[in-house]
Amino acid sequence: MAKLQVAIDLLKIEDAIALATKVAPYVDIIELGTPLIKSEGLSGIRKMKDAFPDKLVLADFKTADAGELEAGMAFGAGADYVTILGTTGDSTIAGAVKAAVANGKGVVVDTIGVKDRVKRAKEAIALGAEFVELHAGLDEQAEDGYSIQVLIDEAARAGVKVSIAGGVNSSSITAVKQSGAIVAVAGAAIYGAEDPAQAAKELKELLNA
Ligand SMILES: O=C(CO)[C@H](O)[C@H](O)COP(=O)(O)O
């Protein structure tokens, strides 16, 4: 069954934990978004993991270099997963995977900005990534003509373990599930909702349907 990941793109850890408290019953993975980590640092990761020891915590580092060092920092702070950019060199991904193996944790390769996401996804899995995020970032989502369908089509073609991120919502999550993606990532659809708990519950129910 596909997992639901909430991407928390807020700036204060108190707000992030308050949101996570509302949605935790419905999500499998709690992601500290890149802006939140830049704002709160490693201590934010520690606070989140301490608050939710039974949830998988993902640190969205989007690391571009020093993969082993940065992944080790995230795992040392309590993260279960850390993201490494797919646009970076193989040695950065391999370094992060080394840290993941040493800590019993996982690397997620983020394909934001990658031209051929399917090809890079296969390469990243071969390098030892746990799964690959087929991702259109917030800026790409704002471009004219953007559709999450491109990611859904790629997931079906990839044939390796992927998540999808890029505007997942209640209209698209069923197609995300049917694509074979193992994780659906939802940010604004949850933290931007009037009732985040209800939004997360609905997404979880659609994933489980
Ligand atoms: O990593 C991110 C941006 O770089 C977001 O957290 C990710 O895109 C999910 O958020 P949304 O569902 O709002 O697109």
Side-chain angles (χ1 to χ4, degrees):
M1 191 175 300
K3 289 185 164 69
L4 180 60
Q5 174 176 325
V6 59
I8 305 183
D9 288 321
L10 304 176
L11 297 183
K12 292 201 166 96
I13 192 62
E14 294 78 15
D15 295 341
I17 289 175
L19 176 75
T21 302
K22 289 180 190 160
V23 305
Y26 313 110
V27 306
D28 306 287
I29 303 174
I30 298 172
E31 172 193 332
L32 289 95
T34 317
L36 179 59
I37 291 172
K38 286 185 175 172
S39 171
E40 295 284 357
L42 295 176
S43 73
I45 302 172
R46 173 52 58 205
K47 286 176 187 166
M48 186 65 81
K49 187 64 183 177
D50 286 349
F52 300 96
D54 299 334
K55 294 289 172 188
L56 294 163
V57 168
L58 182 146
D60 192 16
F61 268 28
K62 293 189 175 78
T63 289
D65 192 16
E68 184 176 1
L69 175 65
E70 290 207 3
M73 288 163 63
F75 298 139
D80 299 286
Y81 296 120
V82 67
T83 60
I84 308 295
L85 287 176
T87 48
T88 197
D90 288 359
S91 58
T92 301
I93 297 173
V97 167
K98 192 173 167 192
V101 170
N103 287 276
K105 306 294 183 184
V107 167
V108 179
V109 169
D110 183 338
T111 58
I112 196 167
V114 169
K115 291 274 180 269
D116 187 338
R117 286 183 284 247
V118 170
K119 178 169 175 278
R120 194 61 177 143
K122 290 176 180 167
E123 292 168 354
I125 293 294
L127 287 164
E130 183 94 3
F131 60 93
V132 172
E133 183 172 297
L134 299 178
H135 187 193
L138 303 175
D139 293 340
E140 188 177 342
Q141 289 178 47
E143 289 172 9
D144 282 347
Y146 170 73
S147 166
I148 194 172
Q149 189 61 44
V150 68
L151 303 176
I152 291 166
D153 293 344
E154 286 171 357
R157 278 196 289 123
V160 294
K161 287 197 281 183
V162 297
S163 62
I164 290 182
V168 170
N169 57 32
S170 58
S171 302
S172 60
I173 197 162
T174 300
V176 167
K177 178 180 89 165
Q178 288 168 349
S179 76
I182 62 161
V183 178
V185 183
I190 295 177
Y191 67 73
E194 204 170 307
D195 183 343
Q198 180 56 35
K201 182 170 183 279
E202 185 186 359
L203 291 173
K204 186 66 171 171
E205 285 171 355
L206 288 165
L207 263 190
N208 288 348

